[in-house]
Amino acid sequence: MAKEQLQVLNALDAAKTQWYHFTAIIIAGMGFFTDAYDLFCISLVTKLLGRIYYYESGSSRPGSLPPNVSAAVNGVAFCGTLSGQLFFGWLGDKMGRKRVYGMTLMLMVVCSIASGLSFGHTAKGTMATLCFFRFWLGFGIGGDYPLSATIMSEYANKKTRGAFIAAVFAMQGFGILAGGMVAIIVSTAFKNKYDVPSYAVDPAGSTVPEADYVWRIILMFGALPAALTYYWRMKMPETARYTALVAKNAKQAAADMSKVLQVVIQEEPEKVERLAKGPSNSFGLFSGQFARRHGLHLLGTTTTWFLLDIAFYSQNLFQKDIFSAIGWIPKAATMNAIEEVFRIARAQTLIALCGTVPGYWFTVALIDHIGRFTIQLMGFFFMTVFMLALAIPYHHWTQPAHRIGFVVMYGFTFFFANFGPNSTTFIVPAEIFPARLRSTCHGISAAAGKAGAIIGSFGFLYAAQNQDKAKADPGYPAGIGIRNSLFVLAACNLLGFLFTFLVPESKGKSLEEMSGENEEEEAEQAADAGAAVYTNRTVPV
C-alpha cells in the first residue's frame, strides 16, 4: 500500500534539481572544506613545531615533538570533534538544525584564528595553548558533521539525495588539497626570502626565527572560508522535515518550502498532528522500540565508521612518516625547517590530487546509480587488498626503484576510501533514522568514527615506530613497524567489510520510508481497506 505523505515532504522528494539544491551544497560544503582543512593541516606543521620549540644543541637530528606532545597536538582536535558531534547532534534535534548551525561555524572561525595566535613563555606553554584552542576548534567541527548531513538529506529529493550529501562531504577533499596548497605557497614564499643551509650544515641556522610565522599562517587560514559562508548559513530556512515532524509547525514548513520550491503547498496541520501522535513518532533513543527498529542499523553505522577512521586517519595524519620511511621525502637533516614543510606539503598535495579528491567525486557521480551498500562494500574490499599489497612485499616498495609504485598503491587506498566507506558512512546515518533522532544518531555514528580516528592518530604514532628501539624516533619505545601497522589497518578494513552487512540500502527511498515514520497511516489505511472488504463480504444479497 502506498504511504500517505505530507504534501510538503512529497514536494521535496519529487522536486527537480534546482538552484536551491546547489546553494545548500555550497553553504554546507564550505563548512566541510574548513573542517578538513583545520583537521589535516596540523600534520603539515608538526615537524616544524618540533624544530622550532624542541631544538637540542649538539644533536645529530633536528628537534622533534616529544611523544606525548606530538600525540596531543595531533589528536586533541579529534577529542573535541567527538564531543562536538555528540553535543551538537543532540542539540540539532532539540533546538533545530538552523539555530545550531551558526554556532558551530563561529566557533570554528574564532578557534582557527586563536590556534595561530598560540603563545607561551616556554615551549610547553605554547603547545598547551595550541592544544586548548585545537580542542575547541574540533568541538565546532564536530557539530558540522551531523548538522550538514541532516540539513542536506532533509532538503534533497529522493532521486539524487545521495549525490547531494556526497557533494557536501566531497568538499572535504578540496579542504585537504587546499591545506597542502596553502602550505606550499607559504613555505615557498618564506624559503625564497630566507634561503638558509640544511640542518646538517648549520643546525641552529637551519631554522630561522621567521619560521614561527609559517605554521601560524597555515593554521589561521582555515578561518577564512568559514567566515565567508556565515551570512548564508543564517539566511537558510529551517528544514521542512524538522519544522513539520519535530516542531509540528505545519504552517511554517509549508510557507518555508513554498518560498524555496516556488510552488503552492498545503499546510495540512491535521495530518501533522496525526503523524506526531502515532507510536512510530513517539519512541525515544533508549527505548526497546528503537532497539528493535534501528538498533542493528545504529550498530552498523557506528562500527563501520569506527573501523574506517582507524585506517583513514592513520593514513592521512602520518603520510609524512611513511614517505620519509620509504625515502620519498629526504632525511630531515638534509633540509632546513621551511624546506621540510614544503616537501611534506607537496607529497600530501599529490596524494590528495591523484587519490583523495577523485574518489569523492566518483561517489557523487555513481552513488544514486549503484547504491550506498555496494560502494561501501567495494571500498572496504579494495582498501584491504591495497593495504595487503603494500604490507606483504613492504621491503620491495622501500627500494629506490619502486618508490613511485608505492606512492601509486598508497594513492589507490585513498581513492577507494573516498569512493567507498569514507563517503557512505557519512551519508547513510542521515537517511535511515527518524527526523526527531536523525541528527543525534548521525552524531553518535560520527563520534564512533572519531573514536577510531583517535585510536588511529595516537596508536599509529607509537605502532609505526621501528622495531629496533635505536632506530625509533627520540623518546618513543620500539613499535611494530610500518609494515605490521599496515597489516593491522588491513584487518580493520576487513572487519568494516563484514559490518557493512548491517547497514540498509537507502537508494531511491524517501527518508520517511527508511525511518518508518508513516507506518501508522499505512496500517490504518490497510485496516480500513480490510474492514471494507469484510463488510462487503458480510452484507446480505
Side-chain angles (χ1 to χ4, degrees), residues 17-260:
T17 301
Q18 50 193 280
W19 180 246
Y20 88 89
H21 286 122
F22 294 110
T23 305
I25 289 169
I26 293 166
I27 293 168
M30 286 310 289
F32 258 86
F33 177 97
T34 306
D35 296 350
Y37 182 97
D38 288 333
L39 284 177
F40 293 112
C41 69
I42 194 69
S43 67
L44 300 167
V45 299
T46 47
K47 292 210 171 188
L48 177 62
L49 291 171
R51 285 188 185 238
I52 294 170
Y53 293 103
Y54 292 90
Y55 166 70
E56 292 180 12
S57 180
S59 173
S60 61
R61 298 183 186 183
S64 62
L65 296 178
N68 60 331
V69 176
S70 182
V73 168
N74 278 300
V76 71
F78 295 131
C79 298
T81 304
L82 188 155
S83 307
Q85 285 163 336
L86 293 172
F87 176 71
F88 286 114
W90 169 79
L91 204 61
D93 283 333
K94 294 298 176 188
M95 292 178 59
R97 291 54 160 134
K98 180 193 171 180
R99 289 178 68 186
V100 182
Y101 213 24
M103 297 181 202
T104 63
L105 205 64
M106 283 313 299
L107 197 55
M108 286 156 58
V109 170
V110 170
C111 292
S112 287
I113 295 168
S115 294
L117 298 175
S118 299
F119 293 103
H121 292 297
T122 62
K124 190 175 181 181
T126 303
M127 293 302 105
T129 310
L130 175 61
C131 287
F132 174 81
F133 287 118
R134 291 280 300 171
F135 175 86
W136 290 108
L137 172 64
F139 194 71
I141 289 171
D144 226 45
Y145 275 74
L147 294 170
S148 290
T150 301
I151 285 170
M152 198 64 242
S153 73
E154 292 182 346
Y155 263 114
N157 60 54
K158 64 182 180 182
K159 186 179 177 183
T160 55
R161 186 179 61 239
F164 290 157
I165 306 172
V168 169
F169 195 62
M171 294 301 286
Q172 189 179 67
F174 288 123
I176 295 169
L177 186 62
M181 291 174 69
V182 168
I184 287 171
I185 292 166
V186 173
S187 59
T188 301
F190 276 80
K191 189 157 67 84
N192 291 339
K193 177 73 174 174
Y194 305 102
D195 189 13
V196 293
S198 68
Y199 184 87
V201 175
D202 183 0
S206 66
T207 306
V208 294
E210 289 78 9
D212 196 50
Y213 293 120
V214 173
W215 70 269
R216 297 179 186 277
I217 292 169
I218 292 169
L219 294 188
M220 286 195 286
F221 186 84
L224 188 61
L228 292 175
T229 52
Y230 180 77
Y231 171 77
W232 299 107
R233 277 202 181 187
M234 294 298 93
K235 293 277 286 181
M236 286 180 79
E238 182 58 85
T239 70
R241 285 182 161 91
Y242 180 86
T243 307
L245 299 176
V246 184
K248 303 176 183 60
N249 189 338
K251 183 176 181 181
Q252 188 64 52
D256 287 343
M257 291 307 106
S258 292
K259 194 182 296 182
V260 167

Side-chain angles (χ1 to χ4, degrees), residues 314-385:
S314 296
Q315 287 175 270
N316 253 313
L317 282 168
F318 300 103
Q319 283 179 32
K320 61 185 184 298
D321 298 313
I322 291 171
F323 289 145
S324 297
I326 64 161
W328 211 55
I329 294 175
K331 298 288 185 187
T334 65
M335 301 178 282
N336 64 46
I338 297 172
E339 186 184 355
E340 187 174 36
V341 174
F342 172 80
R343 296 277 190 143
I344 292 167
R346 187 178 65 177
Q348 293 202 26
T349 302
L350 183 65
I351 287 292
L353 199 59
C354 299
T356 307
V357 172
Y360 284 113
W361 292 98
F362 265 75
T363 302
V364 173
L366 297 173
I367 191 164
D368 288 312
H369 298 286
I370 63 178
R372 289 81 162 139
F373 179 81
T374 304
I375 288 177
Q376 185 161 310
L377 214 57
M378 177 193 68
F380 270 127
F381 174 78
F382 281 109
M383 285 175 73
T384 306
V385 168

Side-chain angles (χ1 to χ4, degrees), residues 304 371-384 416 419-421 424 493-503:
T304 51
R372 289 81 162 139
F373 179 81
T374 304
I375 288 177
Q376 185 161 310
L377 214 57
M378 177 193 68
F380 270 127
F381 174 78
F382 281 109
M383 285 175 73
T384 306
F416 282 107
F419 180 39
T424 54
N493 294 327
L494 183 58
L495 286 172
F497 178 90
L498 298 174
F499 276 106
T500 295
F501 288 95
L502 296 176
V503 180

Side-chain angles (χ1 to χ4, degrees), residues 500-520:
T500 295
F501 288 95
L502 296 176
V503 180
E505 178 58 75
S506 50
K507 180 181 72 139
K509 298 177 181 176
S510 75
L511 297 179
E512 290 67 42
E513 191 178 349
M514 287 305 301
S515 65
E517 285 169 285
N518 285 349
E519 280 182 3
E520 284 71 31

